[in-house]
């Protein structure tokens, strides 16, 4: 018999840009068996295109200025606690969260990174993979720790790099795979550690 699905876990998604991962998670979250409900979207960029998805689906969303990271984290932690958020997913969120924030949150924080970690931490992952003549690239969902892109890996998926691959074509290819693995990783995490 299928395991009965309990209450969905209140989840927040942090973005800075186009929000295609956010969009795909929101769509999956409406499925009965998906274990997360997207209750909050935080952006540190007022003009993030991704904010339109929050608006479109009527999800509470907030722009919080992150120029002063301490202040940003304090404000966000307050909002997150008020909304009883129990999972944070970083999806194209371009700020590094401090150890204080990570410890202060008390629950899990996930991130998606466009490379096969531990290869190519940080920025310009597609450029690096092509320049190094790698045969494969891909993406990784991992837990967020104080060390950038270094937390335990939850899920990873490869894509093949073709001979004529460009940074743009690789980005598009990897992004498509990101959309499928992020929701899968959320399911894994929520089923195993909550
Ligand atoms: C993705 O490639 C993600 O891996 C990286 O930033 C990009 C965000 O894309 N961290 P989007 O905003 O979800 O469209």
């Amino acid at each position: 018999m299928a395991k009965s699905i309990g209450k969905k876990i209140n989840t927040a998604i942090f973005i800075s840009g186009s929000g295609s991962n956010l969009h795909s998670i929101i769509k999956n979250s409406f499925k009965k068996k998906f274990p997360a409900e997207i209750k909050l979207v935080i952006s540190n960029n007022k003009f993030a295109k991704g904010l339109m998805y929050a608006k479109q689906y009527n999800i509470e969303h907030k722009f919080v200025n992150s120029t002063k990271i301490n202040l940003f984290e304090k404000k966000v932690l307050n909002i997150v606690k008020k909304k009883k958020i129990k999972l944070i997913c970083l999806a194209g969120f371009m700020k590094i969260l401090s150890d204080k924030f990570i410890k202060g949150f008390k629950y899990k924080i996930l991130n998606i990174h466009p490379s096969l970690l531990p290869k190519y931490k940080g920025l310009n992952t597609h450029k690096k993979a092509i320049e190094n003549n790698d045969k494969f690239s891909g993406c990784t969902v991992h837990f967020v720790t104080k060390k950038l892109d270094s937390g335990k890996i939850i899920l990873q998926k490869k894509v093949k790099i073709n001979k004529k691959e460009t940074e743009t074509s690789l980005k598009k290819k990897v992004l498509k795979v990101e959309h499928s693995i992020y929701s899968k990783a959320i399911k894994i995490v929520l089923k195993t550690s909550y």
Side-chain angles (χ1 to χ4, degrees):
M1 214 171 76
K3 208 176 144 196
S4 68
I5 302 296
K7 202 178 166 298
K8 294 193 179 208
I9 299 293
N10 290 349
T11 299
I13 305 200
F14 289 14
I15 60 164
S16 302
S18 57
S20 68
N21 277 289
L22 164 70
H23 191 204
S24 119
I25 298 168
I26 293 176
K27 284 191 286 181
N28 281 322
S29 73
F30 296 127
K31 293 179 186 157
K32 209 171 161 200
K33 285 191 174 172
F34 195 77
E37 180 174 349
I38 314 309
K39 286 275 193 187
L40 178 69
V41 174
I42 297 280
S43 174
N44 68 328
N45 170 12
K46 208 186 228 170
F47 306 105
K49 209 180 124 209
L51 283 170
M52 94 188 165
Y53 297 118
K55 286 179 200 149
Q56 182 185 337
Y57 292 96
N58 250 321
I59 296 169
E60 187 173 331
H61 50 281
K62 285 204 158 56
F63 154 68
V64 185
N65 190 317
S66 60
T67 326
K68 290 180 180 149
I69 193 76
N70 283 347
L71 217 59
F72 169 85
E73 291 190 343
K74 217 175 145 188
K75 277 189 190 164
V76 171
L77 216 43
N78 271 330
I79 304 169
V80 154
K81 280 181 183 162
K82 242 187 230 157
K83 294 287 293 176
K84 297 192 166 40
I85 298 296
K86 294 211 164 69
L87 177 71
I88 293 175
C89 298
L90 310 183
F93 178 66
M94 300 305 283
K95 277 276 165 188
I96 298 173
L97 294 171
S98 73
D99 196 32
K100 199 174 164 199
F101 182 93
I102 297 166
K103 285 195 177 126
F105 176 57
K106 295 205 168 51
Y107 300 95
K108 307 264 189 258
I109 307 178
L110 317 184
N111 182 41
I112 187 146
H113 185 75
S115 81
L116 296 171
L117 289 172
K119 246 187 170 179
Y120 311 138
K121 294 172 184 173
L123 299 173
N124 303 317
T125 56
H126 305 308
K127 188 168 182 261
K128 289 174 192 163
I130 290 173
E131 280 175 0
N132 286 333
N133 290 316
D134 289 354
K135 295 219 161 25
F136 293 95
S137 185
C139 51
T140 308
V141 181
H142 64 93
F143 289 110
V144 171
T145 59
K146 63 179 176 186
K147 251 181 115 190
L148 181 70
D149 300 328
S150 300
K152 191 172 169 243
I153 291 172
I154 303 156
L155 214 55
Q156 206 163 46
K157 194 153 180 179
K158 272 186 189 173
V159 303
K160 197 165 171 2
I161 301 180
N162 297 324
K163 286 218 171 70
K164 287 187 179 161
E165 204 78 68
T166 63
E167 239 183 282
T168 315
S169 66
L170 184 57
K171 185 179 172 195
K172 204 170 155 195
K173 215 193 256 183
V174 171
L175 207 50
K176 201 169 164 205
V177 178
E178 289 185 33
H179 299 161
S180 84
I181 71 161
Y182 212 160
S183 289
K184 279 188 193 149
I186 291 172
K187 280 191 196 166
I188 293 173
V189 169
L190 293 182
K191 271 186 192 146
T192 52
S193 47
Y194 280 72

